[in-house]
Amino acid sequence: MFCGIDLGTSSVKASVFDEHGRQLAFSRREIDLVLPQTGLAELDPENYLVKVYETLRDVSAQCHGNIASIAVSSQAQAVVPIDRMGTPLYNIIVTMDNRTLRQYRFWKEHHDEWEIYKRTGNGFASIYTVNKIMWFIENRPDIYEKAWKFCCVQDYVVFKLTGEGPFIDYSMAGRTMMLSSERPEWDSGVLDIAGISKDKLSEPVSSTATIGRVREDIRAGLGLSRTCQVVLGGHDQACGAVGSGVITPGMVMDACGTVDAMVSVLPGFIIDRAMLDNKLPCYRHVDGTNYITMAINTNGGLFLKWYKNTFCHEESQLCGEQNCDIYTYIIKECANTPADIYVLPHLEGAGTPVNDPLSLGAVIGLRVTHTKKDITRAVLDSLGYEMKLNLSAIEQSTGQSIEEIRMIGGGAKTPKWLQIKADIFNRSITVLETQEAASLGAAITGAVGTGYFEDFGQAIQHMVHPKETYIPNPAMVKEYETRFEEYKRIYPGLKDISHRISSRTSIY
């Protein structure tokens, strides 16, 4: 049996699967963001580790300790400085944290984005790990000097589990803007510009690398056997693609979680200006042979959570009394036709295809006749429009036609939203037997890493199972095409005023 741990921003989840992809155990712990002030977003690393141990203990008990391997599916870009004992010296700075605007401007104002893109497969964006470490250099030099390593969440957790390394896999390292696109090693030129010592970074290795066994001082407390091996795993979106069976061109994984991300396998190693113009990265897949690109709305599930917390108090209370999922309830109760209200879901800036950290959220088109159900529909529609922008960017930049979309995450639980997205994208959307595709992808990585399967293709054939497909409704497709053309004009129309407000109110 193979365990995959999904190290998210809002939760930690552990799932155990057998060799046929059947889920045998599951555990989840919610994670609270630490929000010191406007624009800052962190996680408590010690508390985070406790949640990891709790989920592992839960699934181990459900499987009577019969787990062959543990592998990680991890949020990317986030960073935590640690000393030689693995003790955190600061909170984990997560992806949507905006304290790095100064560092982002440094790259834009002083360096050629195309040259950096050719070197790393990443264009300029405030979210990357390199900027967060540069922030420490400029604002907390005491911590930078004291730090032994600056870890992403993957390498931090695996190091604490095994005491080995720390190691970071190629897919995670590819999301830092510091890994060479030509060779799987840190790019010395980028590090020199940033002022970062390579000695302060984890060692890049393959996703399928077996790191070791769980430390003996915590193994018994987690109920794990002495033979259980820890395999490194990869970036959560890349693991989600594997868990969805997306390892060939022409397919897209759409993950609706805290962020909304689309991952597509590239037809080869592609570094060109069309990709850069749409802010699409090129980095290594966890399968070790392919390259992938990712389009991302950093405000996907985060926006929906904000909407729920701010406007849906009665619904939350009702769901608490009836023990039902609040998001499923909100989506079911929304209006049944496309909205003529538009929501620009840029609470923490805009992701691809513009990568604008100064963009702000907005609601346009409100009338006195509109109800909360209409606004809820507008939120769902607009989150769909945002990802259709990215779907179009992937197709136009890579020259491939996306024939199949496989959806995972919280957004894949509700048929109504799945149909909305199918209609907006004008593409068939397939959901899977498991709702934990990222954990499944990590478990598959563990199964390949320990030698149970020869390769990812064989593992996916045995462990990934499509469940249901949603077909676009031609009438709704036509309605959405008109509205999408209107939606595309909102960000450019609001860009100037958003930047003015952001420049006045930003703390960095």
Side-chain angles (χ1 to χ4, degrees), residues 379-397:
V379 168
L380 300 174
D381 288 350
S382 297
L383 289 173
Y385 299 143
E386 194 75 5
M387 294 314 293
K388 183 169 183 176
L389 289 172
N390 284 298
L391 179 62
S392 299
I394 290 173
E395 290 189 316
Q396 293 167 8
S397 301

Side-chain angles (χ1 to χ4, degrees), residues 160-176:
K160 297 295 283 188
L161 279 173
T162 65
E164 302 293 337
F167 299 100
I168 184 171
D169 93 287
Y170 300 146
S171 67
M172 285 285 293
R175 297 297 300 156
T176 64

Side-chain angles (χ1 to χ4, degrees), residues 239-261:
C239 284
V242 167
S244 306
V246 177
I247 59 169
T248 57
M251 300 174 68
V252 155
M253 175 215 71
D254 185 359
C256 300
T258 303
V259 301
D260 201 344

Side-chain angles (χ1 to χ4, degrees), residues 291-402:
Y291 283 82
I292 55 178
T293 192
M294 179 177 70
I296 185 170
N297 171 17
T298 55
N299 299 280
L302 179 68
F303 189 93
L304 194 58
K305 184 176 183 178
W306 170 83
Y307 178 73
K308 180 261 293 183
N309 291 341
T310 306
F311 297 106
C312 300
H313 300 295
E314 293 179 3
E315 292 86 347
S316 295
Q317 183 177 354
L318 178 65
C319 288
E321 294 170 354
Q322 298 182 358
N323 193 30
C324 62
D325 180 69
I326 176 62
Y327 295 106
T328 300
Y329 180 84
I330 291 171
I331 294 168
K332 283 183 177 179
E333 292 298 310
C334 79
N336 291 320
T337 55
D340 289 313
I341 307 167
Y342 300 101
V343 178
L344 195 65
H346 297 174
L347 291 181
E348 298 289 348
T352 53
V354 295
N355 276 1
D356 182 358
L358 300 181
S359 185
L360 298 173
V363 181
I364 296 176
L366 285 175
R367 297 178 183 272
V368 70
T369 54
H370 286 133
T371 67
K372 184 188 291 185
K373 291 186 176 185
D374 297 315
I375 299 173
T376 303
R377 180 69 182 230
V379 168
L380 300 174
D381 288 350
S382 297
L383 289 173
Y385 299 143
E386 194 75 5
M387 294 314 293
K388 183 169 183 176
L389 289 172
N390 284 298
L391 179 62
S392 299
I394 290 173
E395 290 189 316
Q396 293 167 8
S397 301
T398 66
Q400 59 178 319
S401 176
I402 303 302

